[in-house]
């Protein structure tokens, strides 16, 4: 093992020892020798099975079958989740073949950030993660279940399902993916049309045609954003079946993998003799593995929020420093848009997860001795699934990349370090996705132009006010201010300025997510402006240095003068409308970005 990986893992174990021990004691106490439903009062049990068919009711009454909870984020608004419409039917049939039962325990909300981008609904996005976690807890609270299957893919949905399921960590749990849509037009073509539209060189009809040809079918969006990063992280943590993350929807192998996941979860229940509960899989080593895979692929910056929040739900105290220290030694092995031109289907074809995990294991960057839904050891994940007479079989994956423009061995990486950088200085702490930014653009020192609304920046661009070197400061976008929406509306305008030869950077307490593009962007800055953070004291014309090479984020203003300034306050009220008023209690409770932007920080810290 690489000494840095061991060092970070050991300090994470030591730091988390009290909270992790309390968490493990909680879930071990919740695990019963026999099915939990056997301990219910007769009336409670009768309610729980009243809606079942006669065969399932009989099996559950005998107490010799596994009862598997299905928790699904299905809806038609997310192309990635649309295929889940049929999954419960497939899963229930697969479980009956094993003499077990599946019950649809609950649906959780799932919003599409692509639909809500730049709209008021986007301000519910981070809050939706907490809502999903609570909905998952409600679904599993019936104490009727021996295991769970979680159906979710996209941005806040998988982290929300994880946080909720981890509070029932005594249950064996498998996450069941749906796969990416087939490739449409290239991501570069899509980005080019967006940028030409921002310049007034493409019509709205051309823009719409481009977008429809990019997002064109059921399945996950094909760029390497938060949704596909979720899938990669779940697999490297051992919570998917090996090689199942990036198999396209509505294919024979995809359906067979769903059947296999349903049957596999029954094999790791308490009664099976191979008990492997979720809370024993998600430990410090698994979380370090997740961070390593994130860095090695230049994954979504949203996971600097989600991984600490997930860790907290398992009694583990993961920090940005842990993630940054790992990034220094983890090479970048993949080059998928927005980091490169390829999409996730190309990544899969070049060798996919089996090749990536093999390379990271052989480089000593992943813990192999971890628990997974396949049992002990991550080496099972160097295999790929195939169909043999309609059944899933696993065979060793490729030992060499089939396209080194997309996926490389650890001996010939795209970069010797990871794709994420922690930014730090007198403006606070944030993160930058450096893997998406060309080296010549990673350092910008220029006058600030302050905004608190994306439309204001767009208007300034169209008025010709931004034709110069600048650092755009977009403040009051943090979790407590307005729910921390993603801020992609600015990207085309800032990209045009960079292409015109200007040095341009973005600094914000908001998010850019997995689609963070070619502009150097220090995001998730905390303390956030609305909580009295330094961004609230920045003024137009202040010189700011954004150095993605060294991780420096600083304002070049006399410290005494800067400290004496009266902090600005938000001038835009975004607390009402589009349901935002219903989430005001969460905004008050949200922790800082570095603590996961979570409404549960205080409660989980006290309880675990």
């Amino acid at each position: 093992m690489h000494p840095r990986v061991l060092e970070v893992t050991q300090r994470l174990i030591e730091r988390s020892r009290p909270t992790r021990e309390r968490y493990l004691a909680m879930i071990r106490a919740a695990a019963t020798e026999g099915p939990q439903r056997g301990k219910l009062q007769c009336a409670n049990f009768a309610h729980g099975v009243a809606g079942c068919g006669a065969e399932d009711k009989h099996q559950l009454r005998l107490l010799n079958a596994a009862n598997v909870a299905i928790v699904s984020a299905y809806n038609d608004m997310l192309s990635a989740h649309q295929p889940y419409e049929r999954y419960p039917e497939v899963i229930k049939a697969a479980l009956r073949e094993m003499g077990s039962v599946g019950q649809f325990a609950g649906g959780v909300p799932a919003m599409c950030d692509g639909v809500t981008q730049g709209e008021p609904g986007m301000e519910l996005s981070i809050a939706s993660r907490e809502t999903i976690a609570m909905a998952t807890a409600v679904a599993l609270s019936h104490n009727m279940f021996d295991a769970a299957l979680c159906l979710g893919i996209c941005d806040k949905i998988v982290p929300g399902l994880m946080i909720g399921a981890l509070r029932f960590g005594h249950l064996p749990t498998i996450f069941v993916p749906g796969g990416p849509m087939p490739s449409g037009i290239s991501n570069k073509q899509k980005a080019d049309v967006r940028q030409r539209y921002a310049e007034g060189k493409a019509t709205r009809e051309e823009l719409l045609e481009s977008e429809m040809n990019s997002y064109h079918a059921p399945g996950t969006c094909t760029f390497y954003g938060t949704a596909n990063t979720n899938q990669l992280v779940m697999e490297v943590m051992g919570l998917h079946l090996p090689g199942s993350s990036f198999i396209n929807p509505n294919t024979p192998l995809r359906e067979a993998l769903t059947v296999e996941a349903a049957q596999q979860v029954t094999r790791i229940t308490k009664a099976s003799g191979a008990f492997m509960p979720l809370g024993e899989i998600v430990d410090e080593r698994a979380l370090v593995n997740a961070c390593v895979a994130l860095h090695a692929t230049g994954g979504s910056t949203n996971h600097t929020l989600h991984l600490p929040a997930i860790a907290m739900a398992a009694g583990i105290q993961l920090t940005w420093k842990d993630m940054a220290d790992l990034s220094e030694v983890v090479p970048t092995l993949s080059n998928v848009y927005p980091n490169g031109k390829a999409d996730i289907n190309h990544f899969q074809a070049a060798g996919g997860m089996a090749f990536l995990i093999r390379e990271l294991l052989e480089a000593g960057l992943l813990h192999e001795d971890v628990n997974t839904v396949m049992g002990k050891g991550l080496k099972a994940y160097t295999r790929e699934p195939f169909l043999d007479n309609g059944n899933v079989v696993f065979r060793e994956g490729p030992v060499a990349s089939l396209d080194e423009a997309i996926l490389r061995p650890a001996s010939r990486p795209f970069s010797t370090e990871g794709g994420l950088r922690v930014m730090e200085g007198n403006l606070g702490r944030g993160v930058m996705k450096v893997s998406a930014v060309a080296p010549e653009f990673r350092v910008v020192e220029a006058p600030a132009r302050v905004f608190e609304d994306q439309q204001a920046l767009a208007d300034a661009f169209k008025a010709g006010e931004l034709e110069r070197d600048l650092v755009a400061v977009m403040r009051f976008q943090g979790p407590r201010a307005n729910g921390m929406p993603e801020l992609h509306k600015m990207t085309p305008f800032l990209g045009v300025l960079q292409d015109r030869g200007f040095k341009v950077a973005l600094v914000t307490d908001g998010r850019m997510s997995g689609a963070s593009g070619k502009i150097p962007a220090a995001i998730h800055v905390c303390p956030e402006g609305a909580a009295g953070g330094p961004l609230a004291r920045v003024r137009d014309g202040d010189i700011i240095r954004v150095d993605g090479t060294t991780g420096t984020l600083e304002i070049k203003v006399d410290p005494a003068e800067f400290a004496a300034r009266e902090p600005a306050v938000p001038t835009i009220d975004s607390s009402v409308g589009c349901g935002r008023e219903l989430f005001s209690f969460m905004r008050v409770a949200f922790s800082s970005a570095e603590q996961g932007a979570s409404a549960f920080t205080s409660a989980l810290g006290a309880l675990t």
Side-chain angles (χ1 to χ4, degrees):
M1 289 292 296
H2 193 288
R4 177 67 62 81
V5 176
L6 290 174
E7 174 197 336
V8 172
T9 305
Q10 190 56 42
R11 77 184 185 214
L12 184 57
I13 290 171
E14 293 300 325
R15 181 191 311 128
S16 306
R17 194 177 301 280
T19 49
R20 179 65 175 171
E21 286 178 354
R22 288 198 289 273
Y23 173 79
L24 289 174
M26 178 189 76
I27 66 169
R28 288 167 182 168
T32 60
E33 288 304 317
Q36 288 195 338
R37 63 186 182 278
K39 297 178 171 32
L40 294 179
Q41 298 293 323
C42 292
N44 301 62
F45 178 82
H47 274 289
V49 302
C52 294
E55 180 186 348
D56 289 349
K57 194 177 293 187
H58 176 69
Q59 291 284 7
L60 292 174
R61 191 170 181 178
L62 290 177
L63 300 180
N64 59 0
N67 189 25
V68 178
I70 303 168
V71 182
S72 177
Y74 159 72
N75 68 41
D76 290 334
M77 294 307 302
L78 286 84
S79 61
H81 289 207
Q82 189 277 332
Y84 282 146
E85 181 179 15
R86 289 187 53 250
Y87 274 42
E89 168 194 340
V90 171
I91 288 167
K92 289 178 183 180
L95 289 168
R96 289 189 187 107
E97 289 180 14
M98 301 288 285
S100 294
V101 177
Q103 287 189 289
F104 193 94
V108 304
M111 63 178 286
C112 179
D113 289 2
V115 174
T116 58
Q117 198 63 245
E119 299 292 326
M122 172 51 75
E123 296 181 9
L124 305 184
S125 185
I126 283 290
S128 78
R129 183 190 68 185
E130 317 301 84
T131 305
I132 291 161
M134 292 188 290
T136 303
V138 171
L140 297 177
S141 67
H142 296 97
N143 280 342
M144 285 280 294
F145 308 113
D146 306 293
L149 294 170
C150 290
L151 280 52
I153 294 171
C154 291
D155 295 6
K156 270 43 85 202
I157 298 144
V158 166
L161 287 166
M162 276 284 283
I163 292 167
L166 279 166
R167 304 314 295 174
F168 295 78
H170 60 286
L171 294 177
T173 301
I174 294 180
F175 280 71
V176 187
M181 68 177 68
S183 299
I185 66 169
S186 74
N187 286 294
K188 183 180 186 306
Q189 286 176 278
K190 175 187 69 177
D192 287 346
V193 175
R194 287 180 176 178
Q195 194 156 304
R196 289 196 298 111
Y197 180 75
E199 294 180 272
K201 296 178 180 178
T203 65
R204 183 175 177 82
E205 289 74 20
E206 290 174 309
L207 177 64
L208 180 59
E209 184 68 17
S210 170
E211 299 293 336
M212 294 287 281
N213 287 331
S214 180
Y215 308 112
H216 63 96
T220 314
C221 303
T222 59
F223 68 92
Y224 189 43
T226 308
N228 285 319
T229 305
N230 281 339
Q231 303 314 291
L232 180 138
V233 165
M234 289 295 102
E235 186 161 334
V236 84
M237 290 179 77
L239 296 173
H240 280 177
L241 296 186
S244 65
S245 295
F246 303 122
I247 305 298
N248 299 122
N250 303 318
T251 60
L253 181 55
R254 176 82 274 159
E255 181 150 331
L257 282 165
T258 301
V259 170
E260 182 65 18
Q263 297 182 345
Q264 178 63 19
V265 84
T266 70
R267 300 180 188 119
I268 57 174
T269 58
K270 190 92 173 193
S272 72
F275 188 45
M276 189 62 71
L278 176 64
E280 304 277 0
I281 293 176
V282 182
D283 64 7
E284 294 89 348
R285 295 165 302 168
L287 283 158
V288 166
N289 284 353
C291 293
V292 167
L294 179 72
H295 294 319
T297 55
S300 170
T301 53
N302 271 332
H303 285 77
T304 62
L305 305 175
H306 297 324
L307 286 176
I310 289 168
M312 178 179 61
I316 298 168
Q317 300 172 37
L318 180 69
T319 69
W320 279 359
K321 178 170 174 52
D322 297 328
M323 300 178 79
D325 286 352
L326 289 169
S327 185
E328 290 179 356
V329 301
V330 175
T332 302
L333 303 186
S334 75
N335 194 32
V336 180
Y337 187 87
N339 307 332
K341 296 179 181 179
D343 69 19
I344 203 68
N345 291 311
H346 303 140
F347 168 86
Q348 174 73 3
M353 294 298 298
F355 176 78
L356 177 74
I357 290 173
R358 183 190 305 279
E359 285 297 312
L360 292 172
L361 280 171
E362 290 182 356
L365 293 166
L366 290 177
H367 292 280
E368 198 283 325
D369 59 334
V370 292
N371 296 322
T372 78
V373 298
M374 301 298 288
K376 189 76 172 178
L378 197 59
K379 282 186 180 174
Y381 287 78
T382 64
R383 298 182 297 165
E384 292 182 320
F386 294 88
L387 282 180
D388 185 359
N389 293 321
N391 298 314
V392 174
V393 296
F394 294 97
R395 301 171 186 157
E396 282 302 315
V399 296
S401 172
L402 300 178
D403 188 342
E404 288 199 11
I406 299 168
L407 189 57
R408 290 186 181 177
S411 59
R412 293 188 298 278
F414 291 99
S415 170
T416 57
E417 62 170 343
L420 294 175
R421 174 91 69 246
V422 172
M423 306 292 289
E424 189 168 14
N426 57 9
L427 281 178
R429 285 166 60 83
V431 296
M432 179 186 290
K433 187 172 182 176
V434 292
S435 57
V437 182
E440 63 268 27
F441 297 129
R442 291 178 185 173
V443 180
V444 175
E445 185 171 314
R449 177 68 187 269
V450 181
F451 302 96
E452 56 180 279
D453 175 71
Q454 292 187 90
Q455 187 58 49
L457 185 146
D459 292 343
F461 173 86
K462 292 172 184 176
E465 299 172 6
L466 306 183
E467 299 287 321
R468 56 181 174 83
D469 294 351
L470 84 152
V471 174
V473 175
M474 184 64 64
R475 64 190 179 194
F476 304 133
Q477 307 296 315
R480 292 197 175 193
N482 62 356
M484 208 178 188
E486 291 177 352
L487 303 171
H488 294 307
K489 189 174 180 178
M490 303 177 292
T491 302
F493 304 108
L494 297 176
V496 168
L497 294 173
Q498 182 173 275
D499 288 350
R500 290 177 180 172
F502 299 113
K503 292 187 175 182
V504 182
L506 172 69
V507 176
T508 180
D509 44 15
R511 295 184 295 127
M512 295 289 282
S513 89
S516 297
K518 62 187 183 181
I519 303 299
I523 62 178
H524 303 180
V525 175
C526 53
E528 64 175 285
L535 291 186
R537 297 198 297 276
V538 177
R539 296 176 181 170
D540 285 345
D542 288 344
I543 302 299
I544 292 177
R545 182 174 180 83
V546 179
D547 189 333
T549 303
T550 62
T552 300
L553 176 62
E554 64 179 1
I555 187 167
K556 300 293 186 72
V557 175
D558 177 74
E561 177 196 337
F562 190 64
R565 288 180 180 175
E566 186 71 22
V569 296
T571 61
I572 298 172
D573 181 9
S574 59
S575 63
V576 178
C578 201
R580 289 174 289 182
E581 56 275 16
L582 301 178
F583 294 84
S584 58
F585 73 98
M586 277 195 191
R587 289 189 187 179
V588 173
F590 278 139
S591 65
S592 71
E594 189 162 10
Q595 293 178 305
S598 175
F600 305 139
T601 299
S602 297
L604 291 184
L607 294 175
T608 57

